[in-house]
Amino acid sequence: MNIKNYGLKEEKLLNKKVGIPARIITTYKERYEVVCDKGKTYAQIKRGSYYDNPNAIYPTIGDFVMIEWNDSGDSMILETLKRDSSFSRVSSTADRNHEKHH
């Protein structure tokens, strides 16, 4: 398997010295299914990498991450790589307020 076939751009890996790149393909609460050059596996976030870092971006489907591969169990997600784009929506309260003013 080649992670570049999943859309990974080389520049995302600059200065990344720990882990291997993977892409999140499914989420199950606190468990993620990822694909990387070694194949498909399940992964969990490394608690210290996310809970101790207020700037950490929690991964979701489609994100590229750096993982610590584990042959005999869940791999560890070390870091979520910067997103190129994202979707967001306004809350329903903001929608109602917008409608009142127009």
Side-chain angles (χ1 to χ4, degrees):
M1 235 178 235
N2 187 334
I3 191 64
K4 290 177 188 166
N5 292 340
Y6 285 84
L8 180 67
K9 297 176 185 166
E10 281 292 324
E11 58 267 17
K12 283 188 176 279
L13 300 178
L14 294 176
N15 302 318
K16 302 296 176 198
K17 295 180 173 88
V18 179
I20 61 172
R23 189 159 200 184
I24 306 287
I25 57 173
T26 310
T27 61
Y28 306 97
K29 292 191 180 184
E30 294 184 12
R31 196 168 189 223
Y32 302 83
E33 187 173 4
V34 300
V35 64
C36 66
D37 287 345
K38 294 181 179 264
K40 286 184 186 177
T41 191
Y42 291 96
Q44 297 181 33
I45 61 173
K46 185 172 183 180
R47 304 254 184 248
S49 298
Y50 286 86
Y51 297 135
D52 296 341
N53 181 356
N55 298 319
I57 302 167
Y58 282 80
T60 191
I61 294 173
D63 282 343
F64 287 100
V65 294
M66 297 301 288
I67 66 168
E68 183 179 296
W69 178 265
N70 183 349
D71 283 324
S72 59
D74 284 359
S75 295
M76 286 288 130
I77 298 172
L78 306 172
E79 175 185 7
T80 304
L81 300 178
K82 187 175 180 295
R83 296 174 181 144
D84 291 330
S85 62
S86 65
F87 293 101
S88 63
R89 77 180 286 289
V90 181
S91 71
S92 58
T93 304
D95 288 343
R96 284 192 297 269
N97 288 337
H98 179 73
E99 289 171 3
K100 288 178 185 177
H101 297 292
H102 292 279

